Amino acid sequence: MATPTSLQGIAMPWRTCNQCIRRHYLLSRGGGRPQPRLHLSTTSPVRSSSGSSSSSNASNPLRTSRVRSTEKDVANYRRSMILSASGIAACAIAMYGIIKLDLFGLEQTKQQQSSSMTATIPTAQDAPSPKKTQLDGPNGFPSSPSLITVHGQDPGAEQVATGTSSVPYFPATIRLPKALDAENIALAAGDEIALSTTAEKPADEEEYQLLGLGIRTVSFLRIQVYVVGMYVAKSDITALQRRLVQTAVNPPTLAGVIEAETKGGVITNPVGATAATSLVSTERDRLRQLLLDTGSGGGGEQQGDLVWDAILREPGLRTAFRIVPVRNTDFTHMRDAFVRGVTARAQKYNPWRGEFADEAFGAAVKTFKALFGGGANKNVPKGHTVLLVRNSRGQLDALYQTDVADKPTRYMGRVADERVSRLVWLNYLAGKNVSSEPARESVVEGIMAVVERPVGTVVQKVL
């Protein structure tokens, strides 16, 4: 038996021998599977010094990075630069084209402003003479839309801006045959009428002055349908002034109108109403309210309807409506719209006076429908014109004009019953639900410009 002193002389240290025995013991107890060490060891370093850098990077996912292609990046950069340069060039070309083509009418607006400024500059001829008596008063139609001269048309021909690019202008004056005022017209449906296009005024034509215009829109989307303008014969402006003055001094009432009809259609005016030739400011304001009355005060639309009815019912006033579609349409759509308006007005006024319930009126409405049959040419392209003319007896004549200057006007026919034309006119002028509220307001503004001058003076200015 060996002693401890003899064991210390063995070359293998005691601690190393103890570890070896313990390892064999653990292997025998664990089925030959070595147990993991619970302490760190420096015998197998974490980092391996052998192998290339590429294999080291491939084995370590934390140090692996996506290899980008340099050529692909350069191609992407070049493509982006080319697209950016192309966009800049396209924008520059578009801006240059818009400026050159003047799509927004900037040059025309500048010309209008320059012409209006030139027109307002007084000249030596316009300077007041100390030897002449000057009377203060409005000059013609101060409240009407701005009038501009259109190049390429008749000398002195003027146009009024409509507010839409589809039909940009309306003529300030139009000429219609005096034969339309005859009780029995010699024209038949489909006949052509050659209206003059020269600056001279033919003896067989009557000149009409524009009172106001506006755009008719439909649905809540405010889709534009056509531009409509109301004209009055220049020689009848004095009659229009007189009726407006009498209406402002003595507004019509339903009882008074019914009483006048029982007495033969003569409306009794108070003292001074017939002799009045001008209006004071309060009377002008009252007339404006009557013409624009929509029944918002609780009394219905009766007052405004009666005012316009009284103005139109009396014979001796020649007026016309000029209608120009802003999109392609046809006579069928126009006919249906007109007939709906006439029928609605007749049903509205019948409880008051009952003048639209006879068979003669029904036959007149059928004749009115036949005017817009269209025949072979039932389409109405954008920019073409439909004229509804009301003569001094209230008879309605319809004419159709194309946008071709040298093509004659086509006569569509006549409705002899005065009630039909009056209802068509009232559909644009009276009450709450009118075909075009901007047109009604513009017409009223033109009418107020008429009554700003004494009776008879506007005709001297216009003619």
Side-chain angles (χ1 to χ4, degrees), residues 246-451:
Q246 294 177 3
T247 301
V249 175
N250 181 34
T253 60
L254 183 58
V257 171
I258 295 176
E259 181 181 359
E261 290 179 352
T262 59
K263 295 181 180 180
V266 178
I267 300 178
T268 303
N269 292 317
V271 178
T274 305
T277 60
S278 61
L279 299 176
V280 297
S281 59
T282 55
E283 292 173 334
R284 289 197 295 268
D285 294 339
R286 183 183 182 184
L287 177 61
R288 184 193 299 272
Q289 294 177 359
L290 290 173
L291 296 175
L292 293 174
D293 180 53
T294 59
S296 58
E301 302 171 29
Q302 181 174 312
Q303 187 67 50
D305 292 319
L306 289 177
V307 168
W308 280 108
D309 183 86
I311 294 174
L312 297 172
R313 178 185 293 270
E314 186 179 354
L317 183 63
R318 292 169 294 177
T319 54
F321 274 106
R322 186 175 187 267
I323 301 171
V324 181
V326 299
R327 59 183 68 245
N328 296 333
T329 182
D330 53 54
F331 285 111
T332 303
H333 285 83
M334 300 184 71
R335 177 199 63 193
D336 294 342
F338 289 140
V339 172
R340 283 196 303 268
V342 169
T343 304
R345 294 277 169 174
Q347 294 175 354
K348 174 183 176 181
Y349 300 150
N350 264 332
W352 299 355
R353 303 162 71 170
E355 61 174 329
F356 305 104
D358 56 349
E359 295 181 359
F361 177 74
V365 173
K366 291 181 180 179
T367 304
F368 181 65
K369 289 182 180 180
L371 294 184
F372 298 92
N377 299 323
K378 60 181 179 180
N379 295 326
V380 184
K382 179 182 68 176
H384 292 200
T385 303
V386 175
L387 285 168
L388 302 179
V389 186
R390 193 172 192 265
N391 63 14
S392 59
R393 279 171 295 277
Q395 297 170 318
L396 174 64
D397 293 293
L399 294 85
Y400 176 66
Q401 293 177 329
T402 64
D403 57 354
V404 182
D406 57 348
K407 194 170 184 179
T409 303
R410 180 164 58 89
Y411 183 73
M412 299 174 60
R414 164 174 288 189
V415 180
D417 196 326
E418 176 269 342
R419 293 173 293 181
V420 174
S421 63
R422 178 156 41 100
L423 290 178
V424 174
W425 263 236
L426 291 175
N427 202 40
Y428 283 103
L429 301 173
K432 182 178 180 180
N433 298 320
V434 293
S435 296
S436 174
E437 183 62 31
R440 194 256 293 268
E441 294 177 356
S442 179
V443 169
V444 172
E445 290 299 322
I447 286 177
M448 298 309 300
V450 170
V451 298

Side-chain angles (χ1 to χ4, degrees), residues 22 26 29 36 39 43 63 65 67 71 84 96 107 119-120 206 219 239 272 346 371 382 395 401 427 444:
R22 184 172 179 271
L26 292 176
R29 293 288 302 270
H39 60 278
T43 57
R63 303 185 61 86
S65 61
V67 180
E71 296 180 356
S84 301
Y96 179 80
E107 295 294 333
T120 55
E206 181 71 27
S219 78
L371 294 184
K382 179 182 68 176
Q395 297 170 318
Q401 293 177 329
N427 202 40
V444 172

Side-chain angles (χ1 to χ4, degrees), residues 182-206:
E183 184 175 0
N184 298 318
I185 192 169
L187 296 172
D191 291 349
E192 295 182 348
I193 303 174
L195 298 178
S196 63
T197 57
T198 60
E200 300 179 359
K201 299 179 181 179
D204 59 345
E205 291 183 357
E206 181 71 27

Side-chain angles (χ1 to χ4, degrees), residues 54-125:
S54 59
S55 61
S56 176
N57 291 338
S59 61
N60 188 2
L62 298 178
R63 303 185 61 86
T64 302
S65 61
R66 183 180 299 174
V67 180
R68 297 182 178 179
S69 175
T70 306
E71 296 180 356
K72 186 176 181 180
D73 292 342
V74 172
N76 291 334
Y77 296 151
R78 289 179 179 177
R79 189 181 300 107
S80 300
M81 294 175 63
I82 292 174
L83 291 176
S84 301
S86 301
I88 295 173
C91 293
I93 295 174
M95 294 174 62
Y96 179 80
I98 291 174
I99 295 173
K100 283 297 181 181
L101 295 177
D102 193 19
L103 297 179
F104 300 102
L106 298 179
E107 295 294 333
Q108 193 171 17
T109 304
K110 292 181 181 179
Q111 293 178 2
Q112 295 177 13
Q113 293 177 354
S114 61
S115 62
S116 61
M117 293 177 61
T118 305
T120 55
I121 298 176
T123 59
Q125 297 178 356

